Amino acid sequence: MEGSNTVRHQRFRMNWVRECPLIMMLLLFVSTSRIVCCATDDFEHCENTVLNWATSSLNDGAEEDKLMLKDLLFFLHVPRTGGRTYFYCFLKKLYTTAEECPRSYDRLRFDPSQPHCKLVGTHDDFSLMSKLPKERTSVVTILRNPIDRIFSTYEFSVEVAARFLVHPNLTSAMKLSLRLRSKKQGVSTLDIWPWKYLVPWMREDLFGRREARKSRLESVEIDKDWDTYNMEDIVMPLRDFIKDPMAHDIIHNGATFQVAGLTNNSRLAESNEIRLCVRKHPSLGHHVLDVAKRRLDDMLYVGLTEDHKQSATMFANMVGAQVLSQMEALSSHTDEESTNNTGLEPYSSKVLQNRTKDQKATDLFAPENVEQANENMTVAQLMEAYEACVSNTRKSQASRRTNSLKRISPVKFSKEARLQVPETIIEQIKSLNSLDMELYNHAQDIFLQQKQHLTQKAEVEPQMNTGSNAFWFSPWKALMIVIVLLFLFLIIFIVNTRKKMSKLKV
């Protein structure tokens, strides 16, 4: 009996050994099939989600005359593109405080429904258009080379976070920050996207590294050959910054998602799902890119940070000139009404009162010494005021940056320091921002088209002026002259005839 059982066990083991690989292969096949099936289902779901959104976005309809300024100007401020200078040195000189939508940069308290609201300047993405009267809104924006924008985003996050290092610890810094923000009426940098996420993240990192140095009782030795973007004892290295999930969600391809209306600050319910789908399936990114390109095509103005001087001149002529023209027309119309209705105060006096108010904000975001101009400004005067404002603003920002970076010495950001960053990291930035790279190239094409438009306009205007002078030699004018001459000839003929008749009677 025992012998037969032993034989059966041996046969079972032999059969198991022979069949085990087959069973394992079958299980592997089933599990692999499930994974492939789930991956396929996930891709199809993502593709449908992204395509449905893209199709509805592209069917919004193109503007009939996008180059004509409408009632409301929406300045879509992509972070670290120089937009703050445009806002304070251009738009604040073109619009009164009463005409600016209050707390534009503060998403939670922003209200675009206020009467007489003519200007929205914000880091909010394009989804804000769902809250604005689309048919009465013109959109403008500025784009920057994505590599430089990533560097600048990293630098500004460190700079603002370093300001809190005057405090003994992170808890103290957070408490005082909350206390000051609750007292201020202005908008703080910590209220604004994306800094409300990036600065606290970097602030916590800076305090953590400072405490680690103290615990080791180590001091940082200055080495002239150090890479300032790789001082991990003091600040988060750039290589870690670009790899962090925070950067993937907010920074990388940020301009494309902002223009498309899909940031984590979006008013669109499906924005988070679409961003996640694009990260998991990068091939779907071109649908988002197509929408962003279309949005740029329909804008009143697209500037480039790198072509600063030319961009500013273009903005003054394409946008500023129209704002000044509207202001002049409204002022003349209101003055006429006030003449007929003595109870009404002329618009011009209201404008002057509003523009003489102190506009200096009490927050981290506003530059200092920004003044508003009066309504009688010309485009040339606007450019002069802009250049003076830019000079003052840059000096103020440079001073603030220097004082901030002293707290994390020897870290010192500069264009020269960027050249020390390894090429491998630069290539990673390009790869992580492939959509932004393409969108920037498209913006460069639009910029050239705008330049050609202004050149053609400059050539046509003298001809129009000449044409207006040539009115004196137009056929209508010639006909009028002939009629007048005939009338005079008729009068002379009648007078002469009467004289002859009187002589005959005599």
Side-chain angles (χ1 to χ4, degrees), residues 400-419:
R400 176 176 286 182
R401 183 180 220 192
T402 300
N403 292 331
S404 179
L405 295 183
K406 283 179 181 178
R407 302 185 177 99
I408 52 174
S409 180
V411 174
K412 188 176 182 180
F413 300 127
S414 65
K415 292 182 179 179
E416 292 74 18
R418 291 182 185 181
L419 298 177

Side-chain angles (χ1 to χ4, degrees), residues 243-255:
K243 293 177 182 177
D244 197 275
M246 180 81 75
H248 282 277
D249 191 40
I250 296 177
I251 303 170
H252 298 316
N253 291 318

Side-chain angles (χ1 to χ4, degrees), residues 184-230:
K184 288 180 179 179
Q185 295 181 351
V187 181
S188 167
T189 303
L190 297 180
D191 295 325
I192 301 169
W193 183 90
W195 313 120
K196 63 183 180 182
Y197 299 109
L198 298 180
V199 172
W201 169 47
M202 187 62 70
R203 180 178 61 188
E204 182 177 353
D205 182 83
L206 287 178
F207 273 99
R209 292 176 194 269
R210 188 174 76 172
E211 292 302 317
R213 291 196 304 275
K214 288 181 180 179
S215 65
R216 296 195 306 267
L217 299 176
E218 294 180 1
S219 60
V220 179
E221 297 182 1
I222 300 177
D223 186 339
K224 64 179 181 179
D225 295 326
W226 264 12
D227 175 5
T228 196
Y229 295 90
N230 188 28

Side-chain angles (χ1 to χ4, degrees), residues 415-459:
K415 292 182 179 179
E416 292 74 18
R418 291 182 185 181
L419 298 177
Q420 298 180 24
V421 176
E423 188 62 28
T424 53
I425 294 182
I426 302 299
E427 291 301 320
Q428 287 179 18
I429 293 174
K430 289 181 181 179
S431 176
L432 291 168
N433 292 273
S434 58
L435 299 180
D436 273 8
M437 297 294 288
E438 288 194 48
L439 186 68
Y440 182 73
N441 291 335
H442 188 68
Q444 288 178 310
D445 293 337
I446 295 175
F447 191 79
L448 289 176
Q449 295 172 13
Q450 292 174 164
K451 184 179 178 181
Q452 293 172 359
H453 168 75
L454 286 178
T455 301
Q456 294 172 356
K457 183 180 178 181
E459 293 174 350

Side-chain angles (χ1 to χ4, degrees), residues 261-462:
L262 295 173
T263 67
N264 67 337
N265 200 47
S266 176
R267 285 167 166 77
L268 189 67
E270 61 267 34
S271 62
N272 288 332
E273 183 180 6
I274 294 173
R275 286 199 324 280
L276 181 60
C277 282
V278 172
R279 284 203 299 271
K280 289 195 298 184
H281 309 289
S283 62
L284 298 177
H286 72 90
H287 296 298
V288 178
L289 181 63
D290 288 342
V291 173
K293 286 181 177 179
R294 170 66 176 276
R295 297 261 163 87
L296 288 185
D297 290 337
D298 291 341
M299 289 186 184
L300 168 63
Y301 164 88
V302 176
L304 300 177
T305 305
E306 286 70 24
D307 291 302
H308 174 77
K309 177 67 174 179
Q310 196 169 40
S311 285
T313 303
M314 194 177 293
F315 185 89
N317 284 278
M318 294 185 68
V319 182
Q322 294 194 66
V323 176
L324 294 172
S325 178
Q326 287 183 358
M327 185 187 301
E328 183 180 359
L330 182 60
S331 178
S332 300
H333 176 71
T334 311
D335 284 345
E336 289 178 4
E337 287 187 348
S338 65
T339 302
N340 298 326
N341 302 276
T342 55
L344 296 177
E345 183 181 5
Y347 172 81
S348 56
S349 62
K350 291 182 179 180
V351 170
L352 288 173
Q353 290 174 10
N354 286 328
R355 292 189 187 281
T356 55
K357 292 179 180 178
D358 183 12
Q359 299 299 320
K360 186 171 66 176
T362 58
D363 56 12
L364 296 173
F365 186 72
E368 299 175 358
N369 302 321
V370 176
E371 299 179 357
Q372 290 191 330
N374 59 54
E375 88 255 27
N376 296 319
M377 183 180 288
T378 65
V379 172
Q381 292 171 334
L382 175 64
M383 279 302 300
E384 290 178 6
Y386 170 80
E387 290 172 357
C389 176
V390 168
S391 178
N392 292 332
T393 302
R394 286 177 176 172
K395 289 178 182 178
S396 174
Q397 291 173 350
S399 175
R400 176 176 286 182
R401 183 180 220 192
T402 300
N403 292 331
S404 179
L405 295 183
K406 283 179 181 178
R407 302 185 177 99
I408 52 174
S409 180
V411 174
K412 188 176 182 180
F413 300 127
S414 65
K415 292 182 179 179
E416 292 74 18
R418 291 182 185 181
L419 298 177
Q420 298 180 24
V421 176
E423 188 62 28
T424 53
I425 294 182
I426 302 299
E427 291 301 320
Q428 287 179 18
I429 293 174
K430 289 181 181 179
S431 176
L432 291 168
N433 292 273
S434 58
L435 299 180
D436 273 8
M437 297 294 288
E438 288 194 48
L439 186 68
Y440 182 73
N441 291 335
H442 188 68
Q444 288 178 310
D445 293 337
I446 295 175
F447 191 79
L448 289 176
Q449 295 172 13
Q450 292 174 164
K451 184 179 178 181
Q452 293 172 359
H453 168 75
L454 286 178
T455 301
Q456 294 172 356
K457 183 180 178 181
E459 293 174 350
V460 169
E461 284 180 346

Side-chain angles (χ1 to χ4, degrees), residues 46-222:
C46 278
E47 185 178 36
N48 290 333
T49 301
V50 175
L51 275 174
N52 289 338
W53 165 80
T55 301
S56 62
S57 298
L58 291 171
N59 289 336
D60 284 345
E63 298 290 340
E64 294 181 0
D65 187 2
K66 67 171 188 176
L67 298 180
M68 181 175 291
L69 177 66
K70 298 182 177 64
D71 298 332
L72 179 64
L73 182 65
F74 172 20
F75 174 39
L76 196 158
H77 182 181
V78 178
R80 308 315 295 164
T81 59
R84 178 165 49 170
T85 303
Y86 270 64
F87 185 76
Y88 284 98
C89 297
F90 262 141
L91 298 176
K92 281 282 192 178
K93 294 183 180 299
L94 291 168
Y95 291 92
T96 67
T97 303
E99 292 169 331
E100 180 188 348
C101 298
R103 295 187 176 274
S104 290
Y105 281 89
D106 188 348
R107 183 181 189 273
L108 295 178
R109 289 174 285 182
F110 168 61
D111 180 13
S113 63
Q114 177 173 332
H116 311 300
C117 177
K118 293 185 178 181
L119 171 65
V120 180
T122 177
H123 282 315
D124 235 335
D125 62 31
F126 198 88
S127 65
L128 179 63
M129 286 292 287
S130 63
K131 301 294 182 181
L132 303 177
K134 182 177 182 298
E135 68 284 353
R136 297 193 296 108
T137 303
S138 294
V139 187
V140 298
T141 194
I142 308 168
L143 294 188
R144 185 177 188 176
N145 181 298
I147 300 173
D148 292 331
R149 190 179 64 81
I150 296 299
F151 270 106
S152 186
T153 301
Y154 169 75
E155 294 164 4
F156 189 71
S157 299
V158 173
E159 175 195 339
V160 178
R163 296 174 192 167
F164 294 91
L165 290 176
V166 294
H167 299 281
N169 53 60
L170 179 60
T171 303
S172 173
M174 292 175 64
K175 285 182 179 179
L176 183 61
S177 174
L178 291 173
R179 196 179 307 128
L180 291 175
R181 287 165 62 193
S182 63
K183 292 180 179 179
K184 288 180 179 179
Q185 295 181 351
V187 181
S188 167
T189 303
L190 297 180
D191 295 325
I192 301 169
W193 183 90
W195 313 120
K196 63 183 180 182
Y197 299 109
L198 298 180
V199 172
W201 169 47
M202 187 62 70
R203 180 178 61 188
E204 182 177 353
D205 182 83
L206 287 178
F207 273 99
R209 292 176 194 269
R210 188 174 76 172
E211 292 302 317
R213 291 196 304 275
K214 288 181 180 179
S215 65
R216 296 195 306 267
L217 299 176
E218 294 180 1
S219 60
V220 179
E221 297 182 1
I222 300 177

